[in-house]
Structure formats: C-alpha cells, structure tokens
C-alpha cells in the first residue's frame, strides 16, 4: 500500500515539534524540558518538599487525562519519596522556586507504553 504525503501517519507528531525547542534533562531524550517562566534562586535540592500544579496530556488530545490545576490546589510532594513518575522525579530538581516549565516524558519515564 502506498500512502500519500498528506497522510497523518507520515507526518511528525505534535510532541515531536514541541521537543525541538526543549532541552534534554536525562541525556537520552527521555525527559525534555522547556522553561515557560523562569523561577528565582537556586535549583530545588534533592531533599526538598515541593508544591506542584500539573496537567498530563497524551499526544493528539486537547484535554489532560490527569490534572490538579482545576482544583487550584497544588499537590505537595517530597522528592525521593512521594513522586510516582520517574520523569517527574528527575525533572523537579532542575527547577527553581516559582518556575513554570513544560516537560515531555518518554513512556519509560512515565506510565510505560499506553
């Protein structure tokens, strides 16, 4: 079967285009970061407790499959103890207080292949 060039299967994904402007946190492209609003001070220590607003999206969807933003109440987590996603565990210590960033996680750093 021959596909036309307009076939969406032949087009790079939206996450691919987003990843082009992101920095590699893990060195293997598994966790990518884009700073949307810079924070202040030093990066978060590995022993810190943090409060986080988050929204998690699957590719090709407009609505998050998980979010705490609509509650306007952050989730409090201790790095190294309360964070269930490896990608978040590795991403948090790259941030500063007040920073707003977007991350992309490959499946092995998130929920696995879905």
């Amino acid at each position: 079967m021959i596909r036309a060039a307009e076939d969406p299967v032949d087009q790079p994904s939206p996450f691919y285009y987003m990843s082009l402007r992101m920095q590699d946190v893990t060195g293997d492209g598994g966790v990518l970061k884009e700073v949307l609003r810079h924070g202040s001070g030093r990066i978060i220590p590995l022993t810190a407790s943090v409060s986080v607003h988050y929204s998690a999206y699957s590719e090709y969807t407009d609505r998050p499959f998980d979010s705490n933003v609509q509650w306007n109440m952050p989730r409090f987590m201790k790095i190294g103890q309360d964070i269930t996603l490896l990608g978040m565990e590795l991403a948090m210590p790259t941030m500063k207080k007040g920073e707003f960033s977007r991350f992309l996680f490959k499946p092995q750093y998130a929920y696995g292949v879905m």
Side-chain angles (χ1 to χ4, degrees):
M1 180 167 118
I2 300 174
R3 291 191 176 117
E6 301 84 38
D7 188 337
V9 174
D10 294 334
Q11 302 298 315
S13 71
F15 281 6
Y16 167 78
Y17 287 113
M18 189 183 299
S19 74
L20 295 177
R21 61 180 183 264
M22 301 177 99
Q23 66 185 73
D24 186 352
V25 171
T26 54
D28 65 356
V31 178
L32 302 176
K33 176 182 179 178
E34 177 183 17
V35 176
L36 303 175
R37 184 182 67 222
H38 290 277
S40 61
R42 298 174 32 200
I43 61 169
I44 298 170
L46 294 174
T47 57
S49 294
V50 295
S51 63
V52 179
H53 278 106
Y54 66 89
S55 294
Y57 292 83
S58 292
E59 199 160 28
Y60 302 107
T61 61
D62 293 333
R63 293 192 178 148
F65 65 84
D66 188 18
S67 179
N68 71 348
V69 173
Q70 72 275 14
W71 305 322
N72 199 24
M73 190 177 298
R75 179 173 173 202
F76 292 94
M77 299 180 253
K78 176 128 179 87
I79 296 175
Q81 292 180 4
D82 301 326
I83 301 174
T84 56
L85 294 181
L86 177 59
M88 280 187 75
E89 188 75 40
L90 298 171
M92 290 294 116
T94 71
M95 299 181 74
K96 296 179 179 181
K97 184 177 180 179
E99 182 177 313
F100 183 68
S101 289
R102 175 181 293 143
F103 294 93
L104 287 179
F105 303 146
K106 284 194 174 175
Q108 64 268 29
Y109 289 94
Y111 299 100
V113 177
M114 297 176 80

